[in-house]
Amino acid sequence: MKKYLIYSIVLAVILFVGSLITLMIYEVTKLPDSLNRTITEVEEFTKIRSSLQI
């Protein structure tokens, strides 16, 4: 009976670590898109600001 408890705990830890790794990979692949969007917004903001000063 104790052996099954150990197996289930090990399986739960493996699944948890696997989900964390998957989440980190997903965030890393999503990062360039958000960086691109932020750069575009900053460029548009500086264009609007420079056109207002002239």
Side-chain angles (χ1 to χ4, degrees):
M1 189 68 180
K2 218 172 193 176
K3 187 165 49 171
Y4 293 117
L5 181 65
I6 293 172
Y7 285 153
S8 62
I9 289 172
V10 169
L11 182 64
V13 168
I14 289 173
L15 289 175
F16 181 71
V17 171
S19 64
L20 283 180
I21 291 171
T22 305
L23 190 65
M24 284 177 9
I25 290 172
Y26 174 71
E27 290 295 323
V28 166
T29 55
K30 210 172 65 172
L31 190 65
D33 292 338
S34 60
L35 277 177
N36 218 0
R37 188 171 61 240
T38 305
I39 291 170
T40 307
E41 289 174 0
V42 168
E43 287 174 346
E44 289 174 2
F45 177 74
T46 53
K47 283 179 191 173
I48 293 170
R49 193 168 169 208
S50 64
S51 67
L52 287 176
Q53 287 177 349
I54 295 174

